[in-house]
Structures are given as structure tokens and as C-alpha cells.
Amino acid sequence: MVFALARAATTRASHWSVKSFRSSSANMHGIKRVGVLGAGQMGLGIALVTANVSKLPVLLLDLNESQLNKGLKFMDSLLKKDIAKGRLTEEQAEETRSRVKTTQSMADFSDVDFVIEAVSENPALKAKLFSDLAQATPKHAILSTNTSSISITKIAAAAKGREEQVIGMHFMNPVPVMKLVEIIPGLATSDAVLKTTKDLAVAMGKTCTVSQDVPGFVANRLLMPYINEAIIAYETGIASKEDIDTTMKLGTNMPMGPLTLADFIGLDTCLAIMKVLHEQLGDTKYRPSVLLNKMVDAGWVGKKSGRGFYTY
């Protein structure tokens, strides 16, 4: 679900902005209204880009009213920063904000054309939500998931009768900054759904890559074992955390060291993805670090909790 590349993580909060522009393909996707499920950091970013860049109305759904209010407040702060930096006018920001509506009921998704689910990386939760989405949304609506590692085919199986319309749409974090969207068709996903999803992503100002429906797809299949190996190197005393990070930054030109990056992604998210890779691929090279498990158990999950490998 949450995947943060080093380049994004090193970007200061003031850069968490979106340039407003008209995509040449904005009229190609045929989508008139988008539903975003989950008002956390990822869902909020997706809603903002959809409203600001592709100029589409967005219905943001979260069962937690305080999370909705928190998300809208954060959106307002991002828009104000764009205004201050001359990226948006007051009028453009107000237009963007007016395109985003909120709800706490999935029944209100009865007239959306495209859903982007962005909840936590929990297979059981996603299965329940897609089962409900299959009933609540119009029969033509495309149901996409922002999962960062869970099988699209497995998620689609929960959307009984709608399997052809389920697809992976893996955004990178923070969504307004990162240019990539990983598109992952499931076993049953139709070619028409794949094309529409690509067109919508381009209208949102993103570059698309397509991955087969395999554990971790491309991004996390490569990134997470790298981070996990860095944690093992620290755990076994090969070097200090500072020296591990500095070696990768200055020795391999990485924008951010792997342990700092893990803190920004969230150690709980890293662990969840490593567990999926280990369980589904069955290879011991994907075994999550013992230290990673311990830190998550302790609640030291990185920047969002104030403590991970470093203190924030």
C-alpha cells in the first residue's frame, strides 16, 4: 500500500505540491467521477492529484470522520503552499478544493466510474472492501487498488462478478511529487480496463509502468530486500547505522540511506511487504530481519511514530 522512494522521502514538506496543468489525454479515459477509499496520506495525495491535475470530481471515503477532517486540512495546507510559491492562483486552488467531497458511506459510491482503494496493506481488509465495492458501485465502474505487494488476482476474487474490472494502481509516496504509477493487471483484468487505467494515470500527470501480478511487483520486489539486507547488516554489527547509510549515499549515489528510507516508509509497512514476499515466494532470502520484527513490536515504526532507526 505505502511505498516511498528515496527521492520522495528526501523532499521537504514544502515540496509536497502539484503543478496544475491540462493533460493532453485528459479526455481519453472517459472517467467522469473518481472515488478514493481511504483518507490517509496515500488516499489524500491521490484525491488531490485527481482533483488538481486531471480536474475530475473526487469523492473521498473514510469511516473515520476525524481522518477525513485531518486529510482535508492537510490538503488545504498543501494548496496554500502552492499559492505562496506561485504554482497556483487562489481561484485555481479553490476550484481544486471544490472538486473534493467526502463521505463515510460506501453507498455514496453508487455513481462513481473509477475507484482507487488506498487503505492499509491488509489482505483480509482489502478482500472485504472489494466484496462491498462490487455491490455498491455501478456495474461499469473500474475498481483499482493501491496495494504495494498483495496479489491483484486474489483481491479481484473477492469482487464476485467484477473480476475483469479489478486492477492494481500502485502510486508512489508522496503522490503529488512522485511521477510513477505501477499498473498491475490481475489474471482476469480486461484489456479495456488496463487501457482506461493507463489513460487516467497519464491524465493525472503520471508515467506508467506495467508489471505482472507477482509478489512485490517491480518496485518493492527490488527495494524491500535491499532495505531488509541493510537492516540485517546493522543487526549483525557489520557497521553502524550512520555508516551504512553514508556508504550507500556517497558510495552508490543513493539520495537517502536505506535505514533512513525505511523510517520514512514506515517499518511496519516494510515488514508487511517482506512477509508477503517471504510467504508467497518461499525463498529464505526474503525472510524479514529479526530486528525489523522487534522494532515493529516495540512500536518504533519510523518517522510517523517519532522513533525508528533514528529519532524524529
Side-chain angles (χ1 to χ4, degrees), residues 227-238 259 287-290:
I227 288 176
N228 191 58
E229 191 63 30
I231 298 171
I232 292 172
Y234 176 53
E235 177 184 21
T236 55
I238 291 176
L259 301 180
R287 177 186 63 80
S289 160
V290 173

Side-chain angles (χ1 to χ4, degrees), residues 106-178:
M106 192 177 288
D108 291 332
F109 273 7
S110 61
D111 62 349
V112 300
D113 303 302
F114 200 106
V115 174
I116 305 173
E117 169 270 312
V119 303
S120 60
E121 199 74 342
N122 182 314
L125 174 60
K126 289 182 187 290
K128 174 64 168 64
L129 290 174
F130 273 78
S131 176
D132 293 343
L133 284 169
Q135 302 300 316
T137 57
K139 295 301 181 184
H140 70 275
I142 293 172
L143 310 177
S144 74
T145 173
N146 183 54
T147 181
S148 55
S149 61
I150 300 170
S151 167
I152 306 304
T153 300
K154 186 173 183 179
I155 292 173
K160 301 295 184 184
R162 304 282 296 279
E163 293 90 344
E164 291 187 359
Q165 294 159 276
V166 177
I167 192 166
M169 199 177 191
H170 180 206
F171 290 83
M172 308 296 145
N173 185 33
V175 179
V177 175
M178 299 302 288

